[in-house]
C-alpha cells in the first residue's frame, strides 16, 4: 500500500510546506498590523459639536425693544445639519399690541439655515389679557419668530375666557391676534354675562 506524500512528506516536501506556512504567517501579521480605516461620517450625523448650559437668547427691533426671548437649562449644537437643540425651553414672543405670548415645551430645534424653530413635546403657549388667559396646547409647533407666525399639523386645544376648542392643525399670526383652525374643529362657547 502506498502512502500519500502529505502523510509522509519526503525531505524536499518539508521545505515547500514550511514556505507556504511562512508566507501565510507574514501575510496575517501584516494584515493585523494595518490600521483599520476610520468609519465614514454620515452626512446627516447627530454628532455633538458643542454644549452650553443656562442659555438665554433674545432679539430686538430697531428701537431696542425685545421681540423674542428664549431660555433653556441646556443646549446642544450639531454640525450636520447645522442646528441647535434646546432642552425644556421657555420663550416669550412679543406682539404688536398687548401682552406677549409665553410658551414652553420639552425640546426646541433651530435650524441655522432658516428662520424656523420647531418646538416639540407638550407645547403650551399662553397670553394674559384683561378678559382672561388664552392657552394653546399641542404636540408640535413650527414657529417663525421674525415673522410672528406659527403653525402645526398636530392636534390643538385652545382654551380662553368662555370657550374651549379642539382641532387638527392650526396657523397663528401672533402680531395680528389671528388663529386659523384647519380641520375637525369642535368646541363650545359660553358668552360673557
Amino acid at each position: 500500500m502506498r502512502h500519500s506524500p502529505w502523510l509522509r512528506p519526503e525531505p524536499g516536501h518539508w521545505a515547500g510546506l514550511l514556505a507556504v506556512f511562512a508566507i501565510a504567517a507574514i501575510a496575517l501579521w501584516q494584515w493585523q498590523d494595518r490600521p483599520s480605516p476610520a468609519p465614514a461620517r454620515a452626512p446627516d450625523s447627530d454628532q455633538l459639536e458643542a454644549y452650553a448650559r443656562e442659555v438665554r437668547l433674545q432679539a430686538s427691533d430697531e428701537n431696542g425693544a425685545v421681540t423674542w426671548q428664549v431660555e433653556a437649562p441646556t443646549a446642544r449644537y450639531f454640525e450636520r445639519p447645522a442646528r441647535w437643540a434646546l432642552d425644556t425651553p421657555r420663550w416669550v414672543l412679543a406682539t404688536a399690541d398687548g401682552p406677549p405670548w409665553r410658551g414652553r415645551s420639552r425640546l426646541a430645534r433651530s435650524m441655522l439655515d432658516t428662520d424656523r424653530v420647531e418646538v416639540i413635546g407638550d407645547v403650551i403657549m399662553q397670553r394674559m389679557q384683561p378678559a382672561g388667559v388664552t392657552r394653546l396646547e399641542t404636540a408640535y409647533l413650527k414657529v417663525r419668530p421674525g415673522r410672528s407666525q406659527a403653525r402645526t399639523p398636530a392636534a390643538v386645544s385652545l382654551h380662553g375666557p368662555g370657550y374651549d376648542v379642539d382641532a387638527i392643525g392650526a396657523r397663528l399670526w401672533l402680531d395680528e391676534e389671528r388663529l386659523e383652525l384647519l380641520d375637525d374643529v369642535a368646541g363650545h362657547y359660553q358668552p360673557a354675562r
Side-chain angles (χ1 to χ4, degrees):
M1 178 160 124
R2 187 167 168 159
H3 294 286
S4 166
W6 287 104
L7 294 177
R8 269 186 195 209
E10 295 180 14
H13 289 158
W14 279 109
L17 191 58
L18 286 174
V20 168
F21 280 125
I23 292 170
I26 290 170
L28 181 64
W29 174 68
Q30 285 184 345
W31 179 76
Q32 286 178 342
D33 264 1
R34 194 175 302 156
S36 59
R41 202 163 153 192
D44 234 7
S45 94
D46 276 346
Q47 185 170 347
L48 180 66
E49 298 290 331
Y51 178 83
R53 286 193 227 177
E54 302 303 325
V55 175
R56 183 177 186 188
L57 304 168
Q58 67 182 32
S60 56
D61 63 15
E62 60 277 353
N63 298 323
V66 175
T67 55
W68 61 264
Q69 176 180 304
V70 64
E71 295 179 358
T74 56
R76 298 173 316 278
Y77 175 73
F78 301 92
E79 189 173 315
R80 290 187 185 96
R83 70 192 184 284
W84 278 98
L86 287 79
D87 299 314
T88 61
R90 293 184 177 274
W91 64 89
V92 178
L93 297 172
T95 60
D97 292 319
W101 283 93
R102 298 182 181 281
R104 68 177 189 258
S105 67
R106 280 192 276 143
L107 178 70
R109 286 191 304 222
S110 174
M111 306 302 279
L112 297 186
D113 61 346
T114 68
D115 70 338
R116 183 183 81 234
V117 176
E118 296 174 319
V119 287
I120 303 160
D122 302 327
V123 179
I124 296 174
M125 286 184 56
Q126 59 187 24
R127 185 175 189 214
M128 295 291 292
Q129 296 187 34
V133 177
T134 300
R135 180 180 172 113
L136 181 133
E137 300 174 18
T138 188
Y140 171 83
L141 194 62
K142 189 182 293 184
V143 182
R144 299 186 83 175
R147 297 182 184 184
S148 293
Q149 296 176 353
R151 67 182 197 162
T152 183
V156 173
S157 291
L158 184 64
H159 311 282
Y163 65 89
D164 294 298
V165 181
D166 293 317
I168 304 295
R171 284 186 266 199
L172 295 88
W173 292 266
L174 302 170
D175 269 351
E176 299 173 26
E177 298 184 36
R178 184 165 58 113
L179 169 72
E180 178 183 6
L181 300 171
L182 301 178
D183 202 9
D184 291 336
V185 180
H188 71 275
Y189 174 74
Q190 293 178 349
R193 296 179 185 192

